Amino acid sequence: MRSVCGQGDLDELLAERDKINAKIQAILDAQTEPWGVKVVLVELKHIDLPQEMQRAMAKQAEAERERRAKVIHADGEFQASQKLADAAEIIAKQPNAIHLRFLQSLVEVSAEKNHTVVLPIPVDIFTLLLNKLQR
C-alpha cells in the first residue's frame, strides 16, 4: 500500500481514491489468487503520512497551483493581445476610429473630475511643422 500511495501526489491521493483502490486490489489479487483467495473490496479510509512527506507533498501541490495560475495568466495575456491586435487592425482600416476612441477617452477622463487633462498631439503634426520650418 505504501508503494502505491507513494507513487502519486497529494492531489491524486485525495481526488482519485478509486484508482488507487483498484491498483491495490489488482496487486492483492495477483498475490492471493494462487491460494484461491479473492479480495472483494479494497478501500482506503485514512492514510497516515510522515511529516516530511506531508511537507514535500504540500510543496509539490503549491508549486502545481502556482504553475496553473501562471498558465491561466499567460492565457489571459494572450487573449488580450489578440483582441488588441484585432482592434488595431480595425483602427488601421478606419482612420476615424482612432479619433472616436480619443474622444471617448476624453469623456472618461472628464467624468472623474480631474483638474488636469493631457491631450496627446500626433507626431504627424510635429513632422509637418518641422518640414515647413525647414523650408
Side-chain angles (χ1 to χ4, degrees), residues 8-11 54-65:
D9 55 9
L10 186 59
D11 290 341
Q54 287 178 4
R55 279 191 231 112
M57 291 174 120
K59 285 181 183 178
Q60 181 185 10
E62 183 179 352
E64 179 63 22
R65 284 191 300 274

Side-chain angles (χ1 to χ4, degrees), residues 98-99 102 119-135:
I98 192 71
H99 186 66
F102 172 70
L119 296 175
I121 299 174
V123 178
D124 298 341
I125 293 176
F126 283 123
T127 307
L128 290 174
L129 288 172
L130 287 175
N131 287 339
K132 286 185 180 184
L133 288 175
Q134 287 177 355
R135 288 182 193 163

Side-chain angles (χ1 to χ4, degrees), residues 5-55:
C5 292
Q7 290 174 0
D9 55 9
L10 186 59
D11 290 341
E12 190 177 336
L13 285 175
L14 296 174
E16 300 178 3
R17 284 191 179 181
D18 293 336
K19 287 183 180 179
I20 294 171
N21 291 340
K23 284 181 186 177
I24 294 172
Q25 186 167 2
I27 292 169
L28 287 174
D29 283 342
Q31 296 294 322
T32 59
E33 190 175 347
W35 296 341
V37 176
K38 172 65 178 150
V39 177
V40 178
L41 178 67
V42 173
E43 188 173 337
L44 287 177
K45 297 266 187 182
H46 180 75
I47 300 175
D48 287 329
L49 298 173
Q51 287 293 329
E52 301 85 34
M53 186 177 249
Q54 287 178 4
R55 279 191 231 112

